[in-house]
Amino acid sequence: MSQTLNDKLNGAVELGLLKKDIPGHVTGNIAGNIELRPYQITALERWLYYIEDFPQRPTNPHLLFHMATGSGKTVLMAALILDLYRRGYRNFLFFVNSAQIIEKKKENFLNPASAKHLFAPGVRIDDKPVDIREVDTFDAVNMDAINIHFTTIQGLHRRMTEPKENSVTIEDFRDYKVVMISDEAHHLNAETKTKDKLTKDEAAERLSWEGTVSEIFRQHPENMLLEFTATVDLTNDAIRAKYADKILYDYDLKQFRKDGYSKDIELRQA
């Protein structure tokens, strides 16, 4: 059996290759009340090794961070956005399954008055101020800013199939390189499941969610797709095969609890 990406990175850890200093443009621009936990630092070290030194890295990485609920995936997203800005990316597409979650994420990323705001009061990269902005389209955005388009998976599909004026379209992804960030990414795998395992709802979704995201990803040779979830179904053969070369970091609930970050959970059935 061939090695997965996670296996290869684990081997690099044993050789001492993954020790990386987290750069100042990340640590200096995360909110002051956020202290990166050891496992978040590990995730960033893996990212830095992959993006800078991994010999088999494609120009358009598609990666999965498989991390336990409550482990601070959103903090990691903010850190990656800062690092990718430093690497020349300006446009970010953030999508989830729920409109309610979108509003919470906007508070995290855009509202400096929020107690859960992720960024320092004045983000500076290469000694220049960097604004973080919500945008409706990537056409004519400020190329000195971090431009984020927030949407649901369903809304994204509608925009691609029913384009409207002043709304993001498929052309945006042909003309500009974009980092696609998928939160709760297990919702994208309806199409990957074999047909006999699809629920009725998943069968209806299979031509929209996963297919639309895949089409967008292919539009530009430097697009990136970064997925985050705690619950990818690796017991499914098709999904396990899909992510064999994509799981950059696997930090499950068992390890999260072992490290002392999660409360013990007792399940009762009535």
Side-chain angles (χ1 to χ4, degrees):
M1 182 180 294
S2 60
Q3 282 189 317
T4 65
L5 174 59
N6 194 50
D7 292 335
K8 293 174 183 177
L9 293 179
N10 288 340
V13 169
E14 294 177 2
L15 295 173
L17 299 177
L18 262 66
K19 284 297 181 184
K20 294 277 190 178
D21 292 327
I22 309 304
H25 60 262
V26 172
T27 57
N29 288 306
I30 292 289
N33 64 331
I34 295 175
E35 181 177 353
L36 292 174
R37 292 174 171 177
Y39 60 83
Q40 292 170 325
I41 292 173
T42 297
L44 288 171
E45 286 177 331
R46 286 180 169 237
W47 161 258
L48 292 169
Y49 172 77
Y50 182 87
I51 207 73
E52 294 173 351
D53 302 320
F54 188 64
Q56 297 165 299
R57 180 181 71 83
T59 56
N60 60 333
H62 175 185
L63 298 170
L64 173 68
F65 293 83
H66 187 217
M67 299 175 67
T69 299
S71 62
K73 293 187 288 293
T74 309
V75 172
L76 190 57
M77 293 174 198
L80 293 175
I81 286 172
L82 292 167
D83 189 59
L84 283 162
Y85 180 93
R86 180 66 175 73
R87 296 178 191 279
Y89 285 84
R90 298 293 183 268
N91 300 324
F92 298 84
L93 174 67
F94 186 97
F95 56 100
V96 297
N97 183 48
S98 163
Q100 185 178 9
I101 295 175
I102 282 288
E103 295 308 312
K104 291 181 179 179
K105 297 304 181 183
K106 286 183 181 181
E107 284 286 296
N108 296 153
F109 285 101
L110 302 173
N111 184 5
S114 171
K116 295 186 177 182
H117 187 58
L118 296 165
F119 298 105
V123 172
R124 298 186 69 87
I125 297 178
D126 292 335
D127 205 31
K128 296 179 180 178
V130 177
D131 290 335
I132 301 170
R133 301 181 174 186
E134 180 182 7
V135 298
D136 294 324
T137 174
F138 295 125
D139 187 34
V141 297
N142 183 339
M143 293 308 292
D144 292 324
I146 292 171
N147 306 289
I148 309 177
H149 179 75
F150 295 88
T151 184
T152 61
I153 301 169
Q154 302 94 324
L156 180 64
H157 175 67
R158 284 196 301 271
R159 289 179 179 87
M160 296 303 102
T161 57
E162 303 170 13
K164 296 181 180 180
E165 190 175 359
N166 298 322
S167 177
V168 66
T169 67
I170 197 69
E171 283 75 19
D172 284 336
F173 304 100
R174 293 174 188 154
D175 298 337
Y176 311 103
K177 62 183 182 182
V178 175
V179 179
M180 306 164 65
I181 300 176
S182 173
D183 195 12
E184 298 302 324
H186 56 276
H187 290 289
L188 296 181
N189 290 315
E191 189 173 281
T192 297
K193 289 185 178 181
T194 55
K195 291 182 180 180
D196 61 327
K197 292 187 178 181
L198 288 174
T199 67
K200 182 178 179 180
D201 287 342
E202 286 174 335
E205 292 162 359
R206 70 191 304 268
L207 294 178
S208 57
W209 296 359
E210 190 174 7
T212 294
V213 171
S214 297
E215 182 181 2
I216 291 171
F217 179 59
R218 293 191 297 265
Q219 294 305 308
H220 193 286
E222 293 182 82
N223 281 350
M224 289 192 189
L225 175 54
L226 306 179
E227 299 186 36
F228 297 80
T229 187
T231 54
V232 67
D233 183 12
L234 295 177
T235 64
N236 180 282
D237 291 341
I239 293 177
R240 187 169 62 253
K242 172 182 176 179
Y243 286 105
D245 62 346
K246 296 176 178 63
I247 298 179
L248 187 78
Y249 189 42
D250 193 0
Y251 188 72
D252 61 15
L253 180 59
K254 181 179 178 181
Q255 189 63 47
F256 188 50
R257 291 178 63 189
K258 183 179 178 181
D259 291 343
Y261 292 108
S262 176
K263 297 178 181 179
D264 286 336
I265 300 171
E266 181 177 335
L267 299 178
R268 295 187 178 185
Q269 184 174 2

